[in-house]
Amino acid sequence: MGWMHTARFLTTAAELFHLPALDVPEIAFVGRSNAGKSTCINTLTQQKQLAFASKKPGRTQHINLFALGKQGLTDAVLADLPGYGYAAVPKQDKLRWQKVMANYLVTRENLKGIVLLCDPRLGMTELDEVLLEVIRPRVEEGLNFLVLLTKSDKLTRAEATKALSIAKLQAGGGQAKLFSALKKQGVAELAQLMWDWTHDESQTSPTEAEPPEEDNDD
């Protein structure tokens, strides 16, 4: 977890050609505008303002990169992609961003993993299914993929079990996990997974997890 807490803003880009070419592993966070993407990133990094969590979904219109690495060194990058599917965003902006995101997910050379955040109460939407089809070839080639069911504290135990089973089927070779920023469910497990995706087995894992701070913002 301590490694995740080193996250710092790297750059923001409205178009793919504005993104720097990086040679360190990159993990992309994608999902609907109200899936809790920014809250997830802020919870993982224990930085409440790192990713912009707006009360008005759909406001983030850029790809935001955050560097990870101790002592100022960068050994991995998190990419926060714009949320999709929010009705108040003009159609032309939706179409533009769908194209930018699809191109990013298909062509970004240093991309090592994708985390698709989904509200389990809503399930996979049509746009989520479109995204799955876009990334399926890369997942089949070995790209790491996780369906993260956010806001799991709002589910009963039976509902959570059912949602997780469905998500594992939909992941198509990827993984599925439950997550709650409010209850800190799955936070340490997700942080460890991010480390595993971006480091080889010869590198020591930061197992000395730090106790999480209290944060009731979900």
Side-chain angles (χ1 to χ4, degrees), residues 166-181:
I166 293 172
K168 286 179 178 178
L169 292 175
Q170 294 173 320
Q175 304 179 58
K177 295 184 183 299
L178 296 167
F179 183 90
S180 169

Side-chain angles (χ1 to χ4, degrees), residues 104-216:
Y104 167 88
L105 295 170
V106 170
T107 65
R108 187 68 167 166
E109 292 185 0
N110 64 319
L111 188 64
K112 295 298 181 183
I114 297 173
V115 179
L116 170 60
L117 293 93
C118 177
D119 186 334
R121 298 170 299 173
L122 303 175
M124 287 279 187
T125 66
E126 183 178 351
L127 289 174
D128 292 323
E129 295 288 352
V130 170
L131 185 141
L132 286 174
E133 287 302 311
V134 168
I135 67 172
R136 193 176 304 280
R138 294 196 73 176
V139 173
E140 291 175 350
E141 292 172 0
L143 182 71
N144 296 298
F145 177 57
L146 170 69
V147 176
L148 193 67
L149 301 178
T150 60
K151 308 176 185 179
S152 61
D153 54 280
K154 301 183 184 299
L155 303 177
T156 65
R157 185 182 298 271
E159 289 171 340
T161 299
K162 180 179 179 181
L164 189 59
S165 296
I166 293 172
K168 286 179 178 178
L169 292 175
Q170 294 173 320
Q175 304 179 58
K177 295 184 183 299
L178 296 167
F179 183 90
S180 169
L182 181 65
K183 300 295 184 182
K184 298 297 187 289
Q185 179 185 12
V187 175
E189 188 179 4
L190 179 58
Q192 181 64 53
L193 189 62
M194 300 297 95
W195 172 272
D196 293 342
W197 282 4
T198 54
H199 297 79
D200 60 44
E201 294 181 358
S202 66
Q203 294 171 289
T204 304
S205 173
T207 53
E208 62 280 6
E210 300 174 9
E213 298 175 357
E214 289 298 321
D215 180 6
N216 294 324

Side-chain angles (χ1 to χ4, degrees), residues 12-39:
T12 185
E15 299 287 352
L16 290 185
F17 60 84
H18 291 152
L19 288 176
L22 301 173
D23 58 2
V24 296
E26 193 162 295
I27 298 175
F29 283 71
V30 299
R32 284 179 60 84
S33 298
N34 58 353
K37 185 162 45 66
S38 296
T39 300

